[in-house]
RNA sequence: GUCCCCAUCGUCUAGUGGCCUAGGACGCUGGCCUCUCACGCCGGUAACGGGGGUUCGACUCCCCCUGGGGACGCCA
């Protein structure tokens, strides 16, 4: 039997990091076993469903490389089928009409809570044959078995047993005639041939009810894997309402999709001491059965570290598109792609995010730098640097070829002439070129910046020092 | 409140009765490398929540407590 799994978000907002983890685990496990992933939008609550949310979910999954093999399917479009099944249950006396009003149910739950019981429907309409009045609104409830228990072997949780008398008769069809989630899920999972349901542990309590429905309909029950939840730094479940942001915001912040996936896969799963995984490695190694049962807390530092490794391991051209975007965000447009591509390798092991990379390489693309960082200027732009800097500038001006080798030779000659250490010369040059005290190797920096810009910035640096020496005289 | 789940360094985890003087990773930190930053390398910091059992022997098994989380909707 080939594996068929589904990711089934409700379209009430963007895809957040917790949902992404569920989608990832579905994807990885299914890839490992060569199955099919299905995306199904659970939009049975029409009031809360938004079409923008569907777009956002699709976009988030696409960015992460988790595009489904099938779908998106929309649960609402199978509404007729769901109601048909409800009718069938009604006819087979596995469901009944319940005329209880909202107020009545609230009162019942309040009493139960006050009595120290778990609030749940007491089944008072089970034996009612007539409506309280002609045309009274009703819901259809599932007539669950009240004795025995539901048992299943969860791929993550192990054996789970729930006594049927702990459950209540769940609503299958609302009083407005629309099917509810629990009915729709069961019918759709069956119709779509889903044989493994991977979802968050917050669905654990729905599972026995759904299994009862499968059994009442004499359908095969899928297997289940309930993943531990992802928590925020306060230790509580991460959700749209509670601290979680769209996965796409990670793109905005300069994270790579593979890094986000890599980070998420290590929450609850491990493979020896390995921390860095490519998508291919994750797909071949991951198995949902190896996932642990305890919840994890989202930690941005670890994500940053993993991202830095994925940036280092990426072919430069794969970073280009997002990098161009990040450069635009800081006002640098019309970037020469060839030039950018040649610069990227120098920044890959210096950047934890693409945002950081864009900031660090900005000096290469600006026409001019208009200021030196005060601390860098104070520390390195000293008057004593004026003579060697002047000489270096002069010699570079007369150096017609602009290669790493020739630049290095000019440096060596100046250092020899002044009998000085590299650091004393490189730092003032670095500040003159970049306005900061940090950059790639100084030869590489000069080379990447190019002859014209390098010389004009060096000249500006010399001028700066000359003015400084005059003002202090 | 009721039912369920979880419990190893601050965080992510390894550990499945003796290999544990509890391993790795992030973070923090000392050093090396060095033209700066970073990468890399070497070192340090830091954990089995508590109490009972079981056993020759418990991080590992059982029970209780404590702590944390989840679920209790005509939401999904």
């Amino acid at each position: 039997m080939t594996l068929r799994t589904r990711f089934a978000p409700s379209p009430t907002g963007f895809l957040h990091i917790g949902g992404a983890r569920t989608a990832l685990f579905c994807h990885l496990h299914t890839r490992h076993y060569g199955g099919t992933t299905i995306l199904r939008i659970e939009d049975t609550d029409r009031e809360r469903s938004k079409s923008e949310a569907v777009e956002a979910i699709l976009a988030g999954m696409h960015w992460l490389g988790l595009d489904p093999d099938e779908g998106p399917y929309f649960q609402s479009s199978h509404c007729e089928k769901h109601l048909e099944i409800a009718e069938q249950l009604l006819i087979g006396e596995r469901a009944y009409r319940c005329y209880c009003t909202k107020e009545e149910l609230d009162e019942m739950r309040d009493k139960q809570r006050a009595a120290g019981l778990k609030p749940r429907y007491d089944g008072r309409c089970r034996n009612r044959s007539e409506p309280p009045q002609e045309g009274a609104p009703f819901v259809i409830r599932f007539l669950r078995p009240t004795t025995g228990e539901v048992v299943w072997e969860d791929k993550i949780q192990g054996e789970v047993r729930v006594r049927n008398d702990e459950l209540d008769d769940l609503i299958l069809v609302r009083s407005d005639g629309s099917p509810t989630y629990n009915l729709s899920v069961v019918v759709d999972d069956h119709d779509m041939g889903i044989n493994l349901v991977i979802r968050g542990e917050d669905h654990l309590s729905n599972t026995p009810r759904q299994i009862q429905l499968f059994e009442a309909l004499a359908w095969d029950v899928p297997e289940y894997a309930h993943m531990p939840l992802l928590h925020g730094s306060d230790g509580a479940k991460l959700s749209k309402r509670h601290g979680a942001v769209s996965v796409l915001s990670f793109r905005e912040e300069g994270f790579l999709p593979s890094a986000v996936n890599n980070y998420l896969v290590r929450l609850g799963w491990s493979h020896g001491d390995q921390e860095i995984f490519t998508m291919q490695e994750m797909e071949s190694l991951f198995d949902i059965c190896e996932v642990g049962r305890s919840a994890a807390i989202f930690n941005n530092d670890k994500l940053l570290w993993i991202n830095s490794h994925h940036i280092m391991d990426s072919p430069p051209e794969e970073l280009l598109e997002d990098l161009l975007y990040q450069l635009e965000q800081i006002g640098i447009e019309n970037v020469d792609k060839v030039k950018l591509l040649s610069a990227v390798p120098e920044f890959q092991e210096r950047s934890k995010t693409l945002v950081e990379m864009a900031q660090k390489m900005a000096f290469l693309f600006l026409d001019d730098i208009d200021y030196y960082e005060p601390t860098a200027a104070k520390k390195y732009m000293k008057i004593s640097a004026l003579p060697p800097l002047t000489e270096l500038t002069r010699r570079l001006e007369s150096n017609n070829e602009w290669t790493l080798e020739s630049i290095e030779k000019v440096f060596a000659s100046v250092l020899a002439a002044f009998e000085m250490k590299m650091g004393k010369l490189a730092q003032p040059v670095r500040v003159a070129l970049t306005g900061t005290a940090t950059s790639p190797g100084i030869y590489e920096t000069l080379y990447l910046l190019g002859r014209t810009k390098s010389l004009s910035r060096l000249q500006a640096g010399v001028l700066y020092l000359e003015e400084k020496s005059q003002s202090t005289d």
Side-chain angles (χ1 to χ4, degrees), chain A residues 233-267:
Chain A
S233 50
D234 62 348
K237 171 180 155 184
L238 216 51
S239 69
K240 281 160 229 167
R241 278 196 57 188
H242 187 86
V245 293
S246 167
V247 288
L248 292 175
S249 68
F250 287 92
R251 178 183 206 173
E252 292 293 317
E253 289 170 26
F255 289 95
L256 302 185
S258 63
V260 173
N261 286 331
N262 188 163
Y263 174 70
L264 291 175
V265 82
R266 285 284 294 103
L267 264 29

Side-chain angles (χ1 to χ4, degrees), chain A residues 253-452:
Chain A
E253 289 170 26
F255 289 95
L256 302 185
S258 63
V260 173
N261 286 331
N262 188 163
Y263 174 70
L264 291 175
V265 82
R266 285 284 294 103
L267 264 29
W269 180 83
S270 63
H271 180 72
D273 287 340
Q274 189 172 346
E275 296 285 354
I276 303 299
F277 296 86
T278 62
M279 276 308 277
Q280 290 70 32
E281 286 175 313
M282 288 184 241
E283 286 172 355
S284 71
L285 295 170
F286 183 85
D287 190 313
I288 199 81
C289 302
E290 294 168 357
V291 171
R293 293 209 266 174
S294 52
I297 293 172
F298 183 83
N299 179 257
N300 209 254
D301 283 335
K302 181 83 175 264
L303 208 208
L304 278 168
W305 177 78
I306 288 177
N307 199 50
S308 72
H309 277 271
H310 281 255
I311 285 176
M312 283 190 264
D313 296 343
S314 291
E317 55 273 20
E318 280 179 19
L319 303 176
L320 236 45
E321 191 187 330
D322 276 359
L323 195 52
L324 284 165
Y325 171 79
Q326 295 298 351
L327 285 165
E328 272 176 36
Q329 295 307 297
I330 54 174
I332 297 171
E333 292 176 331
N334 304 317
V335 168
D336 177 352
K337 283 190 189 175
V338 176
K339 187 177 169 188
L340 180 61
L341 192 61
S342 67
V344 166
E346 289 300 327
F347 293 89
Q348 279 177 289
E349 55 184 40
R350 293 178 162 82
S351 313
K352 284 186 150 83
T353 69
L354 294 181
V355 169
E356 202 183 315
M357 191 182 285
Q359 288 164 349
K360 284 189 193 304
M361 47 171 42
F363 78 93
L364 289 173
F365 302 100
L366 294 168
D367 289 333
D368 232 323
I369 51 167
D370 48 14
Y371 105 122
Y372 298 148
E373 271 180 10
T375 51
K378 192 172 177 216
K379 192 166 178 189
Y380 300 114
M381 292 305 257
K382 294 186 174 157
I383 294 160
S384 59
L386 182 56
L389 194 65
T390 308
E391 184 58 20
L392 179 81
T393 305
R394 204 184 58 73
R395 293 194 192 190
L396 282 173
E397 279 164 350
S398 54
N399 175 44
N400 288 321
E401 57 167 337
W402 201 257
T403 63
L404 284 174
E405 294 72 24
S406 69
I407 293 167
E408 187 172 351
K409 269 183 196 160
V410 172
F411 259 78
S413 70
V414 174
L415 290 177
F418 286 83
E419 291 185 334
M420 65 194 299
K421 288 265 180 79
M422 183 63 179
K424 291 283 180 196
L425 181 58
Q427 282 309 84
V429 171
R430 183 165 274 120
V431 175
L433 298 176
T434 72
T436 73
T438 68
S439 82
I442 200 66
Y443 311 137
E444 286 78 6
T445 301
L446 279 155
Y447 176 74
L448 288 172
L449 189 57
R451 189 167 198 272
T452 313

Side-chain angles (χ1 to χ4, degrees), chain A residues 208-222:
Chain A
R209 304 152 167 274
Q210 291 171 10
I211 289 177
Q212 285 180 336
L213 263 176
F214 276 107
E215 286 172 347
L217 291 160
W219 290 343
D220 287 340
V221 180

Side-chain angles (χ1 to χ4, degrees), chain A residues 149-198:
Chain A
E149 59 182 3
V150 179
V151 183
W152 78 94
E153 189 64 31
D154 195 281
K155 285 189 174 296
I156 292 172
Q157 304 292 327
E159 185 183 85
V160 182
R161 316 179 79 97
V162 180
R163 292 204 318 278
N164 285 336
D165 63 13
E166 284 287 339
L167 273 19
D168 65 358
D169 292 346
L170 82 178
I171 292 174
L172 302 176
V173 179
R174 299 187 185 95
S175 54
D176 67 358
S178 63
T180 62
Y181 163 77
N182 277 299
L183 171 64
S184 299
V185 165
V186 167
V187 177
D188 279 356
D189 280 345
H190 173 262
D191 285 355
M192 295 176 181
I194 304 299
N195 45 32
L196 172 60
V197 173
I198 296 173

